[in-house]
Amino acid sequence: MAKPAAEDSGQDKVRETSATRVYVVLRNEILTMKLPPGAALDEAGLAERFDMSRSPIREALARLSAEGLITTLANRTTMVAPMDFARVPEFLDALDLLQRVTTRLAALHRTQDDLVRIREAQKAYERGIATSLKTGDSLPMIEMNYEFHMTIARTGRNAYFEELYRRLLEEGRRMLHLHFEYKASEPDVNVQEMASDHTEIVRAIEMRDADRAERFAHEHAEQFKGRFMEFLDRNITAGIPLTYSPGSRER
C-alpha cells in the first residue's frame, strides 16, 4: 500500500534538511581545509558521524561534487578534490582575464539598481573581512568575496562570461582561504587595506569608466597572484597533500 502523500512529503523534507546540514558542514570543512585535499570521504563513516542514513549523505555529496569540491574515482572512492599547484599560474591567468572582462562590462552596462547591489555587496564584503579577522575564520570573507565579484559579473550581462567566471571563483575558494591566513598573519592588517582593491573597482563602475574598471580589476588579480606566490614561497602548506595521483589509489 502506498504511503500517504503528506507522509512522503514530510520524509522528503526531513531528508532535505539532513542533507543540507551535512552539505554545509562538509563544505565549510573543505573550504577551510579542515578536510584537506585528497582526504577520503566514506559514506558509511559519514553516516555514523552525522548519525543518519546514507540517503542524505549521498545527496550532500552530490551537491559537493556539482561544485567541484569532491571527486569520485573510477573505483568509486570519493575524496576531497585535490589542489594541483603546478597549474596555479594557468588558473591565475584565467582569473585575471575573466575578472577584467566582467568588470569592464559592468562599467559599460550598469544601471542605478545594479550600482545599489554592487555597493551593498562591497559593504557585505567589508563586514565579512571584519568578522574573519576577528574570529580567524576565513569563511565570511570567502563567501562575501564571491558574492561581490558575481554581483559585478551579473551586471555585465553576458551569461557566458558570468558562468566561466563563476567556475573560477568557486575553484579558487580554497586558495582564498590560504591567502587569508597569509594576510591575517601580518601585524597591521585591517579591513580598509584588504578591501581597498574592491573600493577602487566600485568607483570605476560608478563613473562608467570601463578602462579604469578593467585596470583596477587587473591590478586586483595581479596583487592576489603576487601575494599567493609569496605564500607558496614561504612553504606554509608543506604539510598539506596538495597534489594527488589517482593511479596510486587504484593499484
Side-chain angles (χ1 to χ4, degrees):
M1 182 176 178
K3 293 181 180 179
E7 184 179 344
D8 289 343
S9 177
Q11 290 179 349
D12 289 344
K13 186 173 292 186
V14 170
R15 185 168 64 245
E16 180 181 348
T17 302
S18 299
T20 299
R21 180 166 69 88
V22 175
Y23 162 78
V24 169
V25 171
L26 293 181
R27 181 176 181 276
N28 290 351
E29 290 181 351
I30 292 170
L31 291 180
T32 58
M33 292 198 175
K34 291 177 183 177
L35 279 173
L41 296 172
D42 174 63
E43 280 187 16
L46 291 172
E48 182 177 353
R49 173 187 171 184
F50 290 99
D51 191 23
M52 60 182 64
S53 68
R54 292 196 186 189
S55 182
I57 299 295
R58 292 192 189 103
E59 291 180 28
L61 293 179
R63 289 181 65 182
L64 293 169
S65 177
E67 292 186 11
L69 292 176
I70 67 172
T71 186
T72 301
L73 306 180
N75 64 1
R76 304 191 71 176
T77 298
T78 301
M79 53 176 271
V80 176
M83 291 179 69
D84 184 359
F85 277 9
R87 298 188 63 184
V88 165
E90 295 177 26
F91 171 85
L92 293 174
D93 284 345
L95 181 69
D96 179 19
L97 181 62
L98 267 297
Q99 193 155 280
R100 286 163 55 193
V101 70
T102 53
T103 305
R104 181 179 188 86
L105 288 174
L108 292 172
H109 299 300
R110 65 92 172 159
T111 65
Q112 194 60 35
D113 287 342
D114 292 326
L115 199 53
V116 169
R117 285 188 285 269
I118 290 171
R119 288 168 177 159
E120 289 174 348
Q122 170 66 351
K123 290 177 182 176
Y125 174 67
E126 291 174 356
R127 290 193 296 270
I129 295 174
T131 300
S132 291
L133 290 175
K134 182 178 180 179
T135 64
D137 180 0
S138 64
L139 280 173
M141 184 273 293
I142 291 173
E143 301 292 11
M144 292 304 101
N145 178 77
Y146 175 87
E147 291 301 327
F148 172 79
H149 285 292
M150 284 308 300
T151 299
I152 289 176
R154 286 188 289 270
T155 299
R157 291 172 173 77
N158 185 305
Y160 293 97
F161 287 142
E162 179 184 334
E163 176 61 17
L164 290 170
Y165 191 43
R166 180 191 63 76
R167 288 172 54 189
L168 287 174
L169 289 175
E170 288 182 349
E171 183 176 338
R173 277 170 159 162
R174 286 183 292 176
M175 292 173 61
L176 195 57
H177 164 73
L178 297 176
H179 175 259
F180 170 78
E181 287 200 331
Y182 173 59
K183 283 295 296 178
S185 67
E186 297 179 357
D188 300 324
V189 66
N190 58 66
V191 173
Q192 289 69 33
E193 178 195 354
M194 291 188 68
S196 60
D197 291 350
H198 286 192
T199 301
E200 293 296 341
I201 288 172
V202 173
R203 287 174 181 166
I205 293 173
E206 288 175 343
M207 298 166 60
R208 298 185 187 274
D209 189 332
D211 290 341
R212 183 183 178 92
E214 181 179 347
R215 176 162 54 87
F216 278 118
H218 171 63
E219 290 178 3
H220 182 41
E222 284 292 295
Q223 194 170 68
F224 174 75
K225 179 179 180 179
R227 289 170 178 168
F228 193 77
M229 298 313 291
E230 285 178 19
F231 171 86
L232 292 184
D233 287 342
R234 293 192 182 188
N235 206 27
I236 298 175
T237 59
I240 299 176
L242 298 172
T243 57
Y244 173 81
S245 172
S248 65
R249 279 278 184 91
E250 296 174 342
R251 291 195 185 106

